[in-house]
Amino acid sequence: MYNLLLLMYEFFKIGLFSVGGGLATLPFLYNLAAKDYGWFDTSALADMIAVSESTPGPMGVNMATYAGYHAAGILGGIFATLSLAVPGIIIIIIYKFLEKFRNNKYVDGVFYALHPAVGALITLACFEVYKSSFLGGEEFYIKPLHLILFLAIFGIKVFLAKKKNKKIHPVAVIAIGAVLGICFGL
C-alpha cells in the first residue's frame, strides 16, 4: 500500500510540475529512475519512451501508465496515470486566474523564463537516456553497430524529408529501426 501511495505522490508531482508537454516529464522520470524505489532504471526509461511514442495518446500519460504498471502492476498503471492527470485541473484553474493578468509584464516574464528552463531540463534528460541506450550506459562508449544504424536511419530520414514528394511517415522510421534492431540482434 505504501508503494502505491508513494507512486501516486511521485506522479502527482510530475503532473503538477512538468510544464511543456509530454517531453517535460522526462527529467522527472529520469530522477525517479535514479532513486532507490526499484520501479525502473534508465534503460527501462528508454523503453518507456519508445513505447509511449509508438502508442496512441499523450506521451506523458503513456509514460505514466507504463511506469506505474512496471512499478506496481495494473493498479500502479491506473493510479500513476490518474495522479499525473489530476494536476491538470489545478493548472486549468491557475490558467483561468492568470488569464486576467496575461498582459502583466511580470507574468509574461515568468512564462518567458520558463521556456528555456524547460528546454534545458528536457535536453539533459534526453542526453541521459541517449547515454544509457545508445552509448552503452555509464561507460560512455559508442557501440559501433548502434552508430552505423543510427546514422543510416537518420540519413535516410533527412534525405527523404528534403525531397519534395518523398516524405516518410514517423511510423515507417520506427518500423525500420525495429526491423534493423531485430535483424542485427541489438
Side-chain angles (χ1 to χ4, degrees):
M1 182 66 165
Y2 172 75
N3 194 35
L4 204 53
L5 290 174
L6 187 59
L7 184 74
M8 290 171 59
Y9 170 71
E10 289 291 347
F11 277 94
F12 181 81
K13 284 191 320 189
I14 291 172
L16 192 58
F17 294 108
S18 57
V19 179
L23 286 176
T25 61
L26 281 179
F28 296 100
L29 290 171
Y30 181 76
N31 187 37
L32 279 181
K35 289 186 177 179
D36 262 343
Y37 295 147
W39 293 339
F40 55 89
D41 57 13
T42 53
S43 66
L45 182 58
D47 293 339
M48 284 194 295
I49 293 168
V51 169
S52 296
E53 282 290 327
S54 58
T55 54
M59 183 179 168
V61 172
N62 290 346
M63 289 179 72
T65 305
Y66 186 95
Y69 179 78
H70 199 274
I74 293 173
L75 266 176
I78 292 169
F79 284 114
T81 303
L82 290 175
S83 298
L84 181 85
V86 165
I89 297 168
I90 296 169
I91 299 300
I92 290 170
I93 292 168
I94 291 171
Y95 172 76
K96 289 295 182 186
F97 176 74
L98 288 178
E99 195 173 35
K100 296 175 186 173
F101 301 100
R102 185 63 190 134
N103 293 327
N104 182 305
K105 68 179 182 176
Y106 300 112
V107 173
D108 279 347
V110 167
F111 284 110
Y112 184 76
L114 278 176
H115 292 161
V118 168
L121 287 172
I122 291 170
T123 302
L124 289 173
C126 287
F127 179 73
E128 291 300 326
V129 170
Y130 168 81
K131 188 170 82 173
S132 72
S133 62
F134 181 66
L135 297 177
E138 300 299 320
E139 294 87 32
F140 206 78
Y141 66 93
I142 296 175
K143 296 177 181 178
L145 189 55
H146 282 190
L147 179 61
I148 292 167
L149 289 174
F150 173 80
L151 292 175
I153 294 169
F154 182 79
I156 291 168
K157 173 63 178 157
V158 169
F159 175 75
L160 292 175
K162 292 293 180 183
K163 293 247 185 216
K164 270 194 168 168
N165 297 324
K166 298 286 185 185
K167 299 236 177 189
I168 186 168
H169 197 275
V171 173
V173 175
I174 292 170
I176 290 168
V179 168
L180 289 174
I182 291 168
C183 290
F184 290 98
L186 299 176

